[in-house]
Amino acid sequence: MSTANTTDAKFLKRFRMEIDLRNVELARPHLPDGYSWGAWHPAIIDQHAFAKHESFRTEMDCQIFVSLRTLKGCRDLMCSIMKHSGFLPQATWLIQFDGDDFRPAMPCGTIQGVAMSTTLGAIQNVGVIPEHRGFGLGRALVLKNLHAYRSCGLVRVYLDVSAENQGAIALYRSLGFKYSKTSYREIFAVD
């Protein structure tokens, strides 16, 4: 784990990555068969919370964002994002697994968008449930989100990612994101 020590506190290294939407060609988001998009509506807040919790509950992000540890915490986080003055419903998406003969339908991916200014957007919580990873759902979520930011007239978008999450970093780089800064977040003990 990437840590920096100050007294007894431990910290997780994070990267901020940014993309300039004026200088990048964005592919159309594509979902594989068996998956469908869910546009933002307050009635599906619990589905977003479920997908967020199942995506992050065993990940390193839970060490620094306590709300990700519980379903209630994820719902509270969704409520907080939804109440943000820059919340962009059109940049907030859910991916639904449609179900098959062996597994029921369920929400399995989530992303939220917030406008930080008239030109700058912030991606919140790109999450895909572990058993649905490897099918391009994360890429589809980010592309869907970026297209929405562009249609709203925003020109730059950023996100923060844990330095150890090499898969996510590779995905973001492949889409045109570039490293902009490093930060450290304090790790909180798991109860």
Side-chain angles (χ1 to χ4, degrees), residues 17 139 161 163 165-177:
M17 299 182 77
R139 174 178 296 279
V161 59
N165 193 344
Q166 292 299 308
I169 291 168
L171 166 64
Y172 304 142
R173 281 189 177 142
S174 75
L175 293 171
F177 283 83

Side-chain angles (χ1 to χ4, degrees), residues 55 92 175:
S55 297
T92 300
L175 293 171

Side-chain angles (χ1 to χ4, degrees), residues 8-10 62-67 69 186-191:
D8 291 336
K10 293 188 178 176
C62 282
Q63 298 175 44
I64 56 177
F65 302 110
V66 177
S67 61
R69 295 180 186 175
E186 186 174 358
I187 294 173
F188 298 98
V190 177
D191 300 332

